[in-house]
Amino acid sequence: MRKFTGIISLILMFMIPAALYFAKSQEPEDSAADNNSVSSESASSSTSTTIESTTSTTSESTQTTATTDSQPPKSKLNKPSEAKPYPELAPDDWIDVSINDQKVYFKRGDEVLYTMNCSTGLEGESATPLGEFAIESERGETFYNQGSGEGANYWVSWRDHGVYLFHTVPIDENGNYIESEAESLGVQASSHGCIRLSVPDAKWIYDTVPVGMRVVVRE
């Protein structure tokens, strides 16, 4: 009996440390498994966020592009004809008006300093007269003609002392620009004989062009 009890004690001496070692060896594996699970969930969340962000950015970009493409072109009414600054004029500079081109060229000799889109008189009784003229002393900020039902701003006379003018696109009786008329600038004749221009172009002539500057109107 004592011999049997000794054998059992011997067996227990080996089994208990082995059991403890086995239990401890399982803890890091479980911890690593938990860490792997957390990392996997984090990576999955990050990937999902990235995909959602990319999808949102692409959608916003597509929407912005579509909105931009659907915008109508800006009116010529309030735009200078060229992106560059207006020129500094010299005493011998002159104005060349082309009926065929629907353009006003500011020139120094044969060099074009600046080109403006314009709209000249309709054919027939409203045609803009051809020939060589000069800027006259009459000019003003605004006028309105009851007979034609139109007026204009920033006018400068170049023939018959207030009859033939450079001026803006026409205004109505309330002083509002008739914006649809701006679409004719640089494209076709539409005036009663005067030379219509965008608002910035007409104002620059009103502010800058001196009395006596030569004006040539040709086909």
Side-chain angles (χ1 to χ4, degrees):
M1 182 67 180
R2 289 179 179 178
K3 184 178 180 180
F4 182 72
T5 300
I7 292 171
I8 292 174
S9 298
L10 184 62
I11 292 172
L12 289 174
M13 287 176 64
F14 283 103
M15 289 183 64
I16 289 172
L20 291 173
Y21 176 80
F22 179 76
K24 288 182 178 181
S25 68
Q26 294 302 307
E27 291 180 0
E29 293 180 0
D30 293 342
S31 178
D34 291 343
N35 288 339
N36 288 339
S37 176
V38 171
S39 298
S40 176
E41 291 176 1
S42 177
S44 175
S45 176
S46 176
T47 301
S48 175
T49 301
T50 301
I51 292 173
E52 290 176 1
S53 177
T54 302
T55 302
S56 175
T57 301
T58 302
S59 175
E60 291 175 1
S61 177
T62 301
Q63 184 177 2
T64 300
T65 302
T67 302
T68 302
D69 291 343
S70 65
Q71 291 291 329
K74 290 185 177 180
S75 170
K76 300 175 185 177
L77 176 65
N78 292 307
K79 293 176 61 178
S81 293
E82 294 199 63
K84 66 182 183 180
Y86 292 112
E88 294 288 336
L89 296 176
D92 291 333
D93 294 342
W94 59 289
I95 303 171
D96 179 19
V97 180
S98 171
I99 303 295
N100 290 337
D101 296 344
Q102 292 295 293
K103 295 285 190 291
V104 175
Y105 303 101
F106 282 83
K107 292 184 173 181
R108 182 166 297 159
D110 293 330
E111 177 191 359
V112 176
L113 303 175
Y114 197 92
T115 302
M116 294 181 177
N117 295 314
C118 74
S119 184
T120 58
L122 294 165
E123 292 184 2
E125 294 182 359
S126 296
T128 301
L130 305 179
E132 185 167 333
F133 313 98
I135 296 295
E136 298 175 328
S137 60
E138 295 83 5
R139 67 181 67 198
E141 290 189 356
T142 190
F143 75 90
Y144 182 75
N145 187 319
Q146 292 286 351
S148 64
E150 292 179 346
N153 294 330
Y154 304 119
W155 60 272
V156 175
S157 179
W158 53 270
R159 182 182 174 180
D160 293 345
H161 300 282
V163 177
Y164 291 97
L165 317 170
F166 289 106
H167 62 61
T168 65
V169 165
I171 57 174
D172 61 21
E173 60 183 355
N174 297 314
N176 299 314
Y177 287 109
I178 305 173
E179 193 162 346
S180 60
E181 295 286 353
E183 299 309 308
S184 295
L185 297 177
V187 178
Q188 62 186 9
S190 63
S191 81
H192 304 290
C194 291
I195 299 170
R196 296 176 177 177
L197 303 159
S198 73
V199 176
D201 288 353
K203 188 175 187 307
W204 180 79
I205 290 177
Y206 170 79
D207 288 337
T208 309
V209 174
V211 173
M213 177 172 279
R214 185 164 64 108
V215 178
V216 176
V217 181
R218 58 184 173 83
E219 287 291 348

